[in-house]
Amino acid sequence: MGFGKRPVSIEVIGVTVSANVLSSDRRAAGTCRSAPPTAVAIDLGSSSIGVWAAHRGTISAPCGDAFSSAGSLIRRGRIIDADRCKTLLSELIRRFDQPVPPGGVVAACRPVLAGEHDQTVVRRVVEAVLAPSHLVFIDTVRAAAIGSGAAAGSLLITDVGAQLTEVALLDHGRVVAARRADIGTRDLARGATVDLVSDIVAHHLDALRGETAWTQLAPALTRGLLLVGDGATHPGLSPALSAALRLPVHRAASPRTAALNGAGLAAMSMLRHPARI
């Protein structure tokens, strides 16, 4: 199996897996009923915030540098300044040519293995800005697989972001096992090396091998590793990973937006099939 674009079924992008997707149904008081509900996807990354809205496109903006004196809004996948995050997200929403009405369906990316506290902070930010009728969390690796057209079957995926690296085994879009590390492409400018990142991914993959059934892992190993995130744009990371893992490494066609695109597909699916929420 390759990683080319292919149709994604509703079963793949639905929200039927409680271990990987959590939802809240909080209909805001006073929600305007004149405008139809909108599907929205949000990716709150450590270096930038991205928002996708149906029929409106994608808008993104940097959210600071954790290593600068000014600090950042999000560090290592966790919101550290919720008020400024709300402000930036509100500004992005207002940039769309068409207004985004409240009461829609929002799919928010979350780092794999995110804790309940981290999800609660994201929920508060999103609900304060968008007042959705439904807010659903989707693991970033899962969303990236969907956005890359690679969610079908067994899949090994690594998301190397600005400050976070995630490694996961997926089975038809469901996260079977996962690991994460507080290291990313921004650390490469501060002394970390490509070999270090590769070694960390290899270590996590060894851990996944030890806790995953061979019947699930073998097909994924045959396909190779899908690399997404900012790290997929680094010229030396893909060959270094391939050498360290002894596996073919495939870079997603749009690695920086794969997760946001996948979350958008999930939001559209939920909007069309509300019974699945």
Side-chain angles (χ1 to χ4, degrees):
M1 288 184 181
F3 294 97
K5 288 287 185 180
R6 66 184 67 183
V8 181
S9 67
I10 294 301
E11 287 75 15
V12 171
I13 66 175
V15 288
T16 59
V17 185
S18 59
N20 298 314
V21 180
L22 302 175
S23 66
S24 63
D25 185 354
R26 303 186 178 186
R27 196 171 300 276
T31 296
C32 177
R33 298 299 176 195
S34 59
T38 301
V40 179
I42 295 176
D43 187 7
L44 305 178
S46 298
S47 64
S48 66
I49 290 178
V51 182
W52 173 94
H55 310 299
R56 293 163 177 81
T58 301
I59 294 178
S60 62
C63 58
D65 186 346
F67 301 127
S68 70
S69 59
S72 65
L73 311 184
I74 301 167
R75 183 176 300 144
R76 305 297 184 190
R78 297 179 174 90
I79 293 177
I80 59 174
D81 193 329
D83 290 337
R84 288 173 59 204
C85 199
K86 291 176 188 176
T87 299
L88 179 55
L89 185 57
S90 297
E91 292 175 353
L92 288 177
I93 297 296
R94 287 194 294 268
R95 292 184 194 175
F96 285 115
D97 293 336
Q98 301 178 50
V100 178
V105 172
V106 176
C109 296
R110 66 177 178 190
V112 73
L113 304 179
E116 184 61 34
H117 172 73
D118 297 331
Q119 292 178 172
T120 298
V121 177
V122 174
R123 181 181 291 114
R124 289 172 180 168
V125 168
V126 173
E127 290 182 343
V129 175
L130 287 165
S133 60
H134 297 281
L135 169 60
V136 178
F137 289 97
I138 180 169
D139 290 327
T140 301
V141 287
R142 184 185 186 199
I146 295 170
S148 300
S154 297
L155 174 70
L156 282 171
I157 182 170
T158 294
D159 183 350
V160 180
Q163 297 181 359
L164 203 64
T165 292
E166 305 169 58
V167 182
L169 171 66
L170 276 59
D171 181 39
H172 291 287
R174 179 179 64 90
V175 176
V176 176
R179 291 287 188 275
R180 58 187 273 184
D182 287 344
I183 191 170
T185 55
R186 284 192 176 178
D187 296 287
L188 297 177
R190 296 179 60 83
T193 65
V194 167
D195 288 339
L196 174 61
V197 175
S198 299
D199 288 344
I200 289 173
V201 173
H203 174 74
H204 287 323
L205 181 56
D206 285 341
L208 296 185
R209 284 190 175 108
E211 64 184 47
T212 306
W214 179 249
T215 53
Q216 290 179 309
L217 187 60
L221 292 172
T222 300
R223 293 178 75 181
L225 179 78
L226 177 63
L227 179 61
V228 299
D230 190 58
T233 67
H234 191 284
L237 184 56
S238 178
L241 280 172
S242 183
L245 303 176
R246 297 181 181 179
L247 289 174
V249 174
H250 312 275
R251 290 181 291 182
S254 302
R256 287 192 174 118
T257 59
L260 186 61
N261 294 339
L265 288 172
M268 287 291 291
S269 174
M270 291 182 288
L271 189 62
R272 292 168 180 162
H273 304 271
R276 293 181 177 272
I277 300 178

